[in-house]
Amino acid sequence: MKSYLFRSSSILFAFALLVSLSLSGTAQQSPRQQQQLQVQQQEERPQPELAVQQIDAEALRIIVPPACKGLVPVVQIHNSGPGNPSAALLAFMGGHVRKGYNNPAVNTYFGDTFKIKSCRICYATIEANVEHYGDSWSNDSLTVGAAPFGPGNRFVSAYIWPPNTNPKTFTWVLNAALMNTYLMSGSQPPTDVDAYAQDDTNFHSLKLSVWYY
């Protein structure tokens, strides 16, 4: 009986000694070692799969007003040929050398014209895919409106190249209020929307999207 008790007490003493040594080792670990251990334990745990969704960065820049929600835009894409400038745009560009799409020529004016409906406009955007190669492209600008682009007929006008990502696609919002005023002018509502740029930028495409009421 004594032998059994001695053997049991010896086992308990050995177990207590092991626990004491383990706690002592943990206490002697530096805070950095303990932090590394926690990170390692977390990394070893299975992580849930993340939902991956591809997002069009350009689309995120276009926030359609609540009044236009549910309306389907009428989209026109021009991306080839010499373009089809209106008579007013041709007169505005005068005798300057002109070019159309996919033409890398410098010191050459770009011009094209879209047709729009004689309907009230809720929202409109212009998207351009452009590229530059040389000469003084940094001061090139794009103007969209009705030539000769008076104060009330410039729906958007700005420099093309800040930032200088080459090539690039950008989207601008047109001034729908000015477009509606333009459409209501005159006895016969105009339907031409002109796009004009000078003079070292190559236009690969233009896309006009209009949300009509």
Side-chain angles (χ1 to χ4, degrees), residues 55-118:
I55 299 176
D56 184 348
E58 283 296 328
L60 289 177
R61 297 173 53 189
I62 306 173
I63 303 176
V64 179
C68 307
K69 296 287 187 181
L71 300 177
V72 179
V74 175
V75 178
Q76 300 176 66
I77 300 175
H78 294 182
N79 55 17
S80 62
N84 187 27
S86 65
L89 182 54
L90 286 172
F92 175 76
M93 291 191 290
H96 292 287
V97 180
R98 296 183 288 106
K99 65 182 178 182
Y101 294 92
N102 302 302
N103 187 338
V106 297
N107 301 317
T108 307
Y109 285 14
F110 168 85
D112 196 11
T113 298
F114 293 86
K115 297 292 184 180
I116 58 174
K117 299 179 181 180
S118 298

Side-chain angles (χ1 to χ4, degrees), residues 40-194:
Q40 182 179 1
Q41 290 173 344
Q42 290 176 356
E43 290 178 346
E44 290 173 354
R45 297 173 187 167
Q47 299 292 328
E49 291 187 7
L50 298 177
V52 178
Q53 181 179 10
Q54 292 185 355
I55 299 176
D56 184 348
E58 283 296 328
L60 289 177
R61 297 173 53 189
I62 306 173
I63 303 176
V64 179
C68 307
K69 296 287 187 181
L71 300 177
V72 179
V74 175
V75 178
Q76 300 176 66
I77 300 175
H78 294 182
N79 55 17
S80 62
N84 187 27
S86 65
L89 182 54
L90 286 172
F92 175 76
M93 291 191 290
H96 292 287
V97 180
R98 296 183 288 106
K99 65 182 178 182
Y101 294 92
N102 302 302
N103 187 338
V106 297
N107 301 317
T108 307
Y109 285 14
F110 168 85
D112 196 11
T113 298
F114 293 86
K115 297 292 184 180
I116 58 174
K117 299 179 181 180
S118 298
C119 303
R120 190 179 173 205
I121 294 171
C122 184
Y123 195 67
T125 63
I126 190 76
E127 177 187 295
N129 179 258
V130 294
E131 190 171 4
H132 68 73
Y133 306 96
D135 214 17
S136 301
W137 46 264
S138 61
N139 63 348
D140 284 4
S141 61
L142 171 66
T143 298
V144 180
F149 307 110
N153 288 342
R154 286 194 301 269
F155 309 147
V156 70
S157 184
Y159 288 113
I160 296 171
W161 287 108
N164 181 25
T165 302
N166 186 42
K168 72 174 181 180
T169 299
F170 62 87
T171 304
W172 293 345
V173 177
L174 305 185
N175 189 320
L178 287 180
M179 294 181 77
N180 285 322
T181 301
Y182 165 69
L183 285 170
M184 291 186 294
S185 64
S187 57
Q188 294 294 327
T191 59
D192 290 339
V193 172
D194 300 314

